[in-house]
């Protein structure tokens, strides 16, 4: 069985990288960081006003959100394996906004597929809601409604306004991800006990994979250019080991994410999220270490990858939840030896 990417998949990934390089290059990303937020509904700039609507429409026109909708419904008609390639590129570029929720809402919320609507998610369990200020709809897991076979409520209109009015802004470590604490959701059920939540976890893992790959590249590039004591720091064994460790975390995570996208198996998705989270966080930390003192500065991009990776570890499927899924798949624990000797 051939698990290599097809020519069409490679072209899709390359096209998305080129698009993001044109519409969300480093200058635009840093400008968004400096203003501490995106562009809201009215086009004004604010810390919690929402995502860049122009960027969102660009993504919609490129089929980012409608990728998995059937062609007869106005979508592209592709699947999860192709979706993870796009989200991997989004993770590389530190693309902000509720990308996963809007992608999952395509076909459920009017305008989501085209990038005309911004959709976020309230996961419950005391977790903050990201990008609430400029959202047109909120997916609330464990609600009274049933959408696409899931216990899911879609808040729009007056319901959304009441929800936003009751939310309290909280400090976010990521300057591109404004957070709110939604009142009344602390004891709610976890979002998406079924397929939607699993798909959200997988797409989030793909973003983490892209970030892990990008920080590996950043570390190698810096190690090949920075000189210390008359030599490139990449010639030092300690730096070589850090770079090798980063690659050794990224590639297993890539295999796990790609495989889970093909099978859609809940256990494999849990493993993929666990590996990708670890790769994104630890690679960003090692990249920062290789950059030395300048890695801690605001002007460097390393800290942005680390902060975003930290936030994603708490989204859709946490490490503890993934470990519980993997442990449950092992089956009941049995004694190694039978008979009375095993008892004492």
């Amino acid at each position: 069985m051939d698990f290599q990417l097809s020519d069409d998949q490679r072209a899709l990934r390359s096209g998305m990288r080129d698009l993001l390089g044109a519409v969300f290059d480093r200058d635009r990303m840093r400008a968004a960081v400096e203003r501490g937020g995106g562009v809201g509904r009215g086009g004004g700039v604010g810390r919690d006003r929402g995502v860049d609507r122009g960027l969102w429409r660009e993504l919609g026109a490129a089929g980012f959100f409608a990728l998995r909708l059937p062609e007869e419904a106005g979508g592209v008609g592709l699947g999860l394996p192709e979706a993870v390639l796009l989200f991997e590129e989004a993770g590389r570029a530190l693309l902000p906004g509720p990308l996963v929720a809007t992608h999952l809402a395509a076909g459920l919320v009017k305008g989501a597929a085209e990038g005309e609507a911004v959709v976020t998610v309230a996961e419950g369990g005391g977790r903050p809601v990201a990008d609430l200020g400029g959202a047109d709809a909120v997916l609330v897991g464990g609600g009274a409604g049933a959408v696409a076979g899931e216990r899911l409520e879609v808040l729009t209109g007056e319901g959304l306004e009441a929800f936003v009015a009751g939310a309290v802004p909280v400090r976010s470590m990521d300057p591109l991800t404004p957070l709110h604490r939604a009142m009344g959701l602390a004891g709610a059920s976890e979002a998406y006990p079924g397929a939607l939540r699993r798909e959200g976890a997988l797409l989030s893992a793909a973003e983490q994979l892209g970030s892990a790959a990008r920080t590996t590249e950043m570390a190698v590039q810096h190690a090949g250019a920075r000189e210390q004591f008359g030599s490139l720091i990449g010639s030092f064994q300690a730096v070589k080991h850090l770079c090798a460790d980063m690659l050794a975390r990224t590639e297993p995570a890539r295999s796990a994410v790609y495989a889970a996208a093909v099978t859609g198996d809940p256990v494999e998705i849990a493993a993929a999220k666990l590996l990708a989270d670890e790769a994104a966080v630890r690679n960003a930390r090692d990249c920062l270490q290789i950059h030395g003192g300048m890695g801690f500065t605001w002007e460097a991009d390393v800290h942005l990858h680390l902060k975003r990776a930290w936030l994603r570890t708490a989204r859709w499927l946490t490490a503890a939840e993934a470990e519980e899924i993997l442990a449950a798949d092992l089956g009941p624990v049995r004694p190694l030896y039978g008979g009375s000797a095993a008892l004492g």
Side-chain angles (χ1 to χ4, degrees), residues 145-218:
V147 180
E150 306 282 347
R151 284 190 61 205
L152 175 67
E153 185 176 0
V154 181
L155 297 181
T156 57
E158 293 182 358
L160 173 62
E161 291 178 3
F163 184 83
V164 174
V168 178
V170 295
R171 184 177 178 86
S172 173
M173 69 178 71
D174 180 8
L176 291 177
T177 309
L179 299 175
H180 285 74
R181 185 78 65 189
M183 300 296 101
L185 283 180
S189 301
E190 293 177 357
Y192 311 145
L196 284 179
R197 183 176 182 234
R198 294 197 297 269
E199 291 173 1
L202 179 60
L203 297 177
S204 180
E207 290 182 292
Q208 294 283 61
L209 170 61
S211 180
R214 178 61 187 141
T215 51
T216 301
E217 293 173 2
M218 292 167 63

Side-chain angles (χ1 to χ4, degrees), residues 229-243:
F229 306 114
S231 301
L232 294 173
I233 65 171
S235 66
F236 302 149
Q237 189 176 49
V239 175
K240 289 180 181 179
H241 284 183
L242 285 176
C243 292

Side-chain angles (χ1 to χ4, degrees), residues 13 19 32 57 63 70 107 126 140 183 239 246 266 269 283 303 305 316:
R13 182 173 63 181
L19 173 65
R57 294 187 186 99
V140 182
M183 300 296 101
V239 175
M246 294 171 73
I269 289 175
N283 281 17
H303 70 97
H305 279 277
W316 300 100

Side-chain angles (χ1 to χ4, degrees), residues 269-288:
I269 289 175
K273 181 64 161 58
L274 196 63
L275 288 172
D277 281 347
E278 180 184 23
V281 172
R282 294 187 62 184
N283 281 17
R285 291 171 66 94
D286 284 351
C287 182
L288 193 150

Side-chain angles (χ1 to χ4, degrees), residues 18-341:
D18 292 342
L19 173 65
L20 294 180
V23 302
F24 196 70
D25 58 12
R26 185 179 184 276
D27 289 342
R28 191 167 181 179
M29 184 268 289
R30 294 301 308 200
V33 169
E34 292 304 322
R35 68 176 177 249
V39 179
R41 291 190 185 91
V45 175
R47 185 166 297 276
D48 59 353
R49 295 283 304 277
V51 302
D52 185 328
R53 292 283 170 153
L55 173 61
W56 221 244
R57 294 187 186 99
E58 290 269 11
L59 294 174
F64 188 94
F65 302 118
L67 185 78
R68 295 191 297 135
L69 281 182
E71 293 185 30
E72 55 269 24
V76 184
L78 297 178
L80 268 178
E82 289 75 26
V84 299
L85 297 178
L86 298 193
F87 277 84
E88 181 182 349
E89 292 304 313
R92 284 178 56 91
L94 280 175
L95 193 63
L99 299 165
V100 174
T102 304
H103 179 91
L104 293 177
L108 301 178
V109 176
K110 182 179 179 181
E114 298 81 13
E116 295 294 333
V118 176
V119 184
T120 189
V121 59
E123 298 184 62
R127 300 177 189 177
V129 182
D131 303 289
L132 181 61
D136 300 297
V138 177
L139 307 180
V140 182
V147 180
E150 306 282 347
R151 284 190 61 205
L152 175 67
E153 185 176 0
V154 181
L155 297 181
T156 57
E158 293 182 358
L160 173 62
E161 291 178 3
F163 184 83
V164 174
V168 178
V170 295
R171 184 177 178 86
S172 173
M173 69 178 71
D174 180 8
L176 291 177
T177 309
L179 299 175
H180 285 74
R181 185 78 65 189
M183 300 296 101
L185 283 180
S189 301
E190 293 177 357
Y192 311 145
L196 284 179
R197 183 176 182 234
R198 294 197 297 269
E199 291 173 1
L202 179 60
L203 297 177
S204 180
E207 290 182 292
Q208 294 283 61
L209 170 61
S211 180
R214 178 61 187 141
T215 51
T216 301
E217 293 173 2
M218 292 167 63
V220 172
Q221 290 169 0
H222 184 75
R226 172 69 171 169
E227 290 189 7
Q228 189 72 314
F229 306 114
S231 301
L232 294 173
I233 65 171
S235 66
F236 302 149
Q237 189 176 49
V239 175
K240 289 180 181 179
H241 284 183
L242 285 176
C243 292
D245 288 343
M246 294 171 73
L247 184 65
R249 283 189 289 265
T250 302
E251 292 310 309
R254 185 188 308 280
S255 298
V257 170
Y258 287 4
V262 172
T263 65
D265 182 77
V267 177
E268 293 193 9
I269 289 175
K273 181 64 161 58
L274 196 63
L275 288 172
D277 281 347
E278 180 184 23
V281 172
R282 294 187 62 184
N283 281 17
R285 291 171 66 94
D286 284 351
C287 182
L288 193 150
Q289 181 71 26
I290 290 172
H291 276 71
M294 68 174 294
F296 289 86
T297 63
W298 181 257
E299 291 75 13
D301 294 341
V302 185
H303 70 97
L304 299 175
H305 279 277
L306 179 58
K307 292 169 182 176
R308 185 73 61 83
W310 272 333
L311 279 186
R312 287 200 198 105
T313 60
R315 304 301 306 276
W316 300 100
L317 194 68
T318 65
E321 293 165 348
E323 289 167 353
E324 287 293 334
I325 292 173
L326 293 171
D329 186 62
L330 297 175
V333 178
R334 296 183 175 89
L336 293 176
Y337 303 100
S340 58

